[in-house]
Each structure stands twice: as structure tokens, then as C-alpha cells.
Amino acid sequence: MLPLRLFVYDPEKDNLANLGRASLWPGEVYSLGSLDGKLYLCSYPGARLSVYDPKRPLRFGEEEDANPRDLGPWEKTSIDPGR
């Protein structure tokens, strides 16, 4: 949802939980995928990649132990297409 936030919906409890930020950009997730129990998100603008592990506590950031962790831009040309 905008601005870029992760959320979880539990249909059995009809409960929506806002998990907070998932990227340093204020846009939205355009692509996502999962691998080894983690969710990888690519957000627009800037093609920033983030990873979220639902088994770990929430603490957004760029540090190694952050969750979700902003991994940075996918590539330099995504930030400045004129390069």
C-alpha cells in the first residue's frame, strides 16, 4: 500500500496489521518473490530491493540484522537512467 508498507491480512480473524516500512523509497512494490522462507520486494521508484523474514522480529533498516532490510537499488541505471 502507499506509501510503501508491508501488511498482513488474517482472513480467519478479519485482522489487518500494518508491519511498517519495507523500503527507503515512498513508492510501492512492483515485484516480489520468495526464496527459503523470505520475501523479496522490488519497489518503485528506484528499483530498491528489500528482504523480509516473517520468522524474525520487525525492525526496518539497512543494517545486517534489520527486518525488513533495505538492500539498496537493483542497479545504478535504475536511479539515473541518463547514465
Side-chain angles (χ1 to χ4, degrees), residues 6 32-41 50-54 67-68:
L6 274 181
L32 57 97
S34 62
L35 178 66
D36 297 331
K38 296 177 184 174
L39 182 63
Y40 291 84
L41 314 151
S50 301
V51 59
Y52 169 64
D53 184 345
N67 189 43

Side-chain angles (χ1 to χ4, degrees), residues 1 5-7 13 17 20 22-23 27 30-31 34-37 44 49-50 54-55 57-58 61 66 68 72 79 82:
M1 76 180 167
R5 299 273 189 251
L6 274 181
F7 63 92
K13 297 179 182 177
S23 174
Y30 259 65
S31 300
S34 62
L35 178 66
D36 297 331
Y44 173 87
L49 186 63
S50 301
K55 296 177 185 172
L58 291 165
I79 297 170

Side-chain angles (χ1 to χ4, degrees), residues 4 21-32 40-51 60-62 69-75 78-79:
L4 201 148
R21 294 184 71 173
S23 174
L24 294 176
W25 291 86
E28 56 193 288
V29 172
Y30 259 65
S31 300
L32 57 97
Y40 291 84
L41 314 151
C42 194
S43 60
Y44 173 87
R48 291 195 78 89
L49 186 63
S50 301
V51 59
F60 173 73
E62 296 177 274
R69 180 179 176 204
D70 186 281
L71 300 173
W74 185 257
E75 58 183 66
S78 300
I79 297 170

